[in-house]
Amino acid sequence: MNRIGKIKKTLAAGQKAKGCWLFTGSADLAEIIGGAGFDAIMIDHEHGSGNLPQAIDQHRAIRCAGDTSVLMRIPSNDPVAVKRALDAGMEGIMFPAVNTAEQARAAVAACRYPPNGTRGVGLGAARAAAYGRDKERYLEEFEDKLLIICQIESKEAVGNIEEIAAVDGVDMLFIGPYDLSGSIGKPGWFDDPQVIAQFEDARDRIKASGKWLGCISSGAERTNEMFAEGFDFLLCAAETTLVSTGAQELLDQLKS
């Protein structure tokens, strides 16, 4: 518990936070990435191949390797998935495709125990509360330390940014550029003027809302540019791409 909330402290201090995806269920890769010095690691269960037991092993490996916050993107806005991820010890949840304030309120409620929410209480089974041994402190601290991220991934969501951001408990709005561009029928067309305009509109409205602004980025140059544009948290790498690009670069250099 003493390390939970590090990512929120970093952001609250006005510092930029760098993150990395984990798309596989490999604890070995999690340990390698965990020792690299990222501010946070996002275990992905929307598109990634891992399951919850693997995520717990990854969580252990990351914590053994360094002082990095461990977050999870759940498969869908399912309160059962939220409960299991939080009980496992994740210190932040990313909710995909949050389109309305009502969906944002449901996301926050799934993270909080009654009377502030609807999360089921099973402290004796929860790693996050040391299987009941640390339940008093967990109950006292977890709500303030938990990072709740809502993804903005559609034209509808962009139109509702102000209402979503106003929901108590939502800490960050995170632009999903691929699904956002897909919502107007142009998936991945990032040079298209309409796609650019929609992205910039979402970015500017989130910044104006006062909530932390997150997104994905690619490469050091673009990541630094996006931080300069006002982004607070960027998932700027993934273990899959780090391995594949590193291997390809080596082979390309050997061929030359």
Side-chain angles (χ1 to χ4, degrees):
M1 280 293 295
N2 62 328
R3 288 193 285 178
I4 291 178
K6 181 176 183 289
I7 181 67
K8 287 189 78 170
K9 290 179 183 177
T10 298
L11 293 166
Q15 300 173 19
K16 304 298 186 180
K18 301 172 289 295
C20 184
W21 293 102
L22 289 182
F23 288 126
T24 70
S26 170
D28 291 335
L29 285 174
E31 187 174 13
I32 294 167
I33 299 298
F38 288 99
D39 296 296
I41 293 176
M42 181 74 71
I43 298 173
D44 184 61
H45 278 190
E46 184 187 15
H47 296 292
S49 61
N51 56 35
L52 188 62
Q54 289 173 323
I56 292 171
D57 287 341
Q58 290 176 311
H59 188 282
R60 291 190 182 108
I62 292 165
R63 284 296 178 80
C64 287
D67 190 18
T68 298
S69 290
V70 189
L71 317 174
M72 180 184 284
R73 178 165 68 173
I74 56 175
S76 63
N77 301 342
D78 176 3
V80 175
V82 175
K83 174 174 58 180
R84 299 192 76 200
L86 293 178
D87 284 356
M90 305 303 158
E91 62 196 85
I93 300 290
M94 180 140 81
F95 291 85
V98 176
N99 295 317
T100 66
E102 182 180 5
Q103 292 174 349
R105 283 190 288 270
V108 174
C111 292
R112 293 176 169 177
Y113 292 120
N116 299 326
T118 59
R119 179 181 169 190
V121 184
L123 297 171
R127 288 187 69 246
Y131 303 101
R133 290 193 297 271
D134 203 19
K135 60 184 178 182
E136 289 83 7
R137 184 158 65 135
Y138 181 72
L139 286 170
E140 180 182 349
E141 297 180 355
F142 90 93
E143 197 170 292
D144 290 334
K145 292 184 174 182
L146 180 66
L147 182 69
I148 298 177
I149 306 170
C150 291
Q151 282 200 268
I152 302 299
E153 301 189 276
S154 70
K155 181 178 180 181
E156 178 186 10
V158 174
N160 291 327
I161 280 174
E162 289 77 14
E163 290 79 9
I164 294 170
V167 173
D168 176 61
V170 172
D171 298 300
M172 179 186 295
L173 300 186
F174 188 104
I175 300 172
Y178 282 94
D179 284 332
L180 183 60
S181 60
S183 74
I184 57 172
K186 299 181 177 182
W189 299 12
F190 297 129
D191 294 328
D192 182 87
Q194 189 178 5
V195 171
I196 293 171
Q198 180 179 238
F199 180 87
E200 292 179 347
D201 184 33
R203 178 198 64 195
D204 295 345
R205 292 170 75 169
I206 294 169
K207 285 172 62 178
S209 77
K211 298 294 184 174
W212 290 317
L213 170 62
C215 194
I216 64 172
S217 62
S218 179
E221 182 177 358
R222 181 56 183 148
T223 298
N224 285 329
E225 289 175 353
M226 292 177 71
F227 278 138
E229 291 172 10
F231 285 87
D232 302 295
F233 176 53
L234 292 171
L235 287 165
C236 55
E239 92 281 40
T240 49
T241 53
L242 288 171
V243 171
S244 64
T245 57
Q248 192 62 57
E249 287 174 3
L250 172 62
L251 291 173
D252 289 344
Q253 291 170 10
L254 291 174
K255 290 173 184 176
S256 64

